[in-house]
Amino acid sequence: KAGVTQTPRYLIKTRGQQVTLSCSPISGHRSVSWYQQTPGQGLQFLFEYFSETQRNKGNFPGRFSGRQFSNSRSEMNVSTLELGDSALYLCASSLGEPLLANYGYTFGSGTRLTVV
Amino acid sequence: DQQVKQNSPSLSVQEGRISILNCDYTNSMFDYFLWYKKYPAEGPTFLISISSIKDKNEDGRFTVFLNKSAKHLSLHIVPSQPGDSAVYFCAAEGAGNQFYFGTGTSLTVIP
């Protein structure tokens, strides 16, 4: 079966611009989460969507936003880009997350964003 | 193609005993490995890491072992505590700072 697909794989933007990243989950998965991976900070949680609703949100400024569509595909938007936004952005999908059940949380390959 | 695999979706351990979580990888060029811990409704948090030049790294109750010839790493938690109940992910870093994650193992520590 197809895995989690993130597009684009690589992106270069200039400061002040905005960017939209896309994540297509595994077919049938309804939960999509977004993460920022940087060498210094490690993996940081951005937000999680389940059935088109944002269920959880990490400690990122309002410049970072997202949404989920009825087909479970999700987009993440970053406005007014800053140099510090350069990172690998990962999304992960799962069926759902009741309590501690592990529903095969699958990560995509990520989008490498470079802000210059 | 899943380059990092966690073949056990779940594990139950009695409090005080050892928890062993396993992870296999396919790419011999991976040079850095990490374990993350995830509670429900939260994002994963970094737990412990190991470089490919080492075979063991210890941090308190957590020890990661790396067997490069077998392309296998494991996380040992001793003694296990109920607060350790969470989903654990292993990850590997490859060329170009590309990260590959396993699908996670849900650990339940029974009081």
Side-chain angles (χ1 to χ4, degrees), chain B residues 85-101:
Chain B
S85 297
V87 177
Y88 290 80
F89 295 95
C90 70
E93 183 177 3
N97 297 123
Q98 189 67 43
F99 286 84
Y100 301 86
F101 286 82

Side-chain angles (χ1 to χ4, degrees), chain B residues 44-87:
Chain B
T45 56
F46 171 75
L47 191 59
I48 192 169
S49 63
I50 188 167
S51 165
S52 62
I53 63 173
K54 293 188 172 183
D55 54 19
K56 176 183 174 182
N57 188 26
E58 191 172 353
D59 183 3
R61 296 186 296 113
F62 302 90
T63 303
V64 57
F65 294 92
L66 176 63
N67 182 334
K68 289 185 287 293
S69 60
K71 297 193 185 70
H72 177 85
L73 68 156
S74 60
L75 175 68
H76 292 211
I77 305 174
V78 181
S80 300
Q81 299 173 354
D84 295 329
S85 297
V87 177

Side-chain angles (χ1 to χ4, degrees), chain A residues 49-114:
Chain A
Y49 288 88
F50 182 80
S51 294
E52 301 179 66
T53 301
Q54 188 180 89
R55 196 156 66 167
N56 296 296
K57 190 176 190 300
N59 294 324
F60 275 80
R63 299 186 296 107
F64 291 81
S65 63
R67 57 179 176 169
Q68 186 179 34
F69 301 95
S70 58
N71 61 358
S72 293
R73 189 177 73 85
S74 177
E75 286 182 349
M76 190 193 92
N77 185 276
V78 187
S79 62
T80 320
L81 284 165
E82 300 176 359
L83 295 179
D85 297 333
S86 296
L88 177 68
Y89 290 87
L90 293 159
C91 81
S93 78
S94 69
L95 284 170
E97 198 174 309
L99 298 178
L100 290 175
N102 178 17
Y103 279 75
Y105 210 75
T106 303
F107 283 83
S109 299
T111 293
R112 173 75 60 186
L113 171 66
T114 302

Side-chain angles (χ1 to χ4, degrees), chain A residues 8-74:
Chain A
R9 290 295 305 276
Y10 301 93
L11 203 50
I12 300 176
K13 291 283 188 179
T14 56
R15 276 184 299 176
Q17 285 188 309
Q18 75 154 17
V19 67
T20 299
L21 311 181
S22 177
C23 174
S24 294
I26 289 174
S27 178
H29 283 193
R30 295 166 63 193
S31 170
V32 174
S33 302
W34 288 90
Y35 302 88
Q36 182 193 67
Q37 171 88 32
T38 57
Q41 301 290 329
L43 197 67
Q44 295 189 86
F45 173 65
L46 280 154
F47 25 66
E48 183 205 357
Y49 288 88
F50 182 80
S51 294
E52 301 179 66
T53 301
Q54 188 180 89
R55 196 156 66 167
N56 296 296
K57 190 176 190 300
N59 294 324
F60 275 80
R63 299 186 296 107
F64 291 81
S65 63
R67 57 179 176 169
Q68 186 179 34
F69 301 95
S70 58
N71 61 358
S72 293
R73 189 177 73 85
S74 177

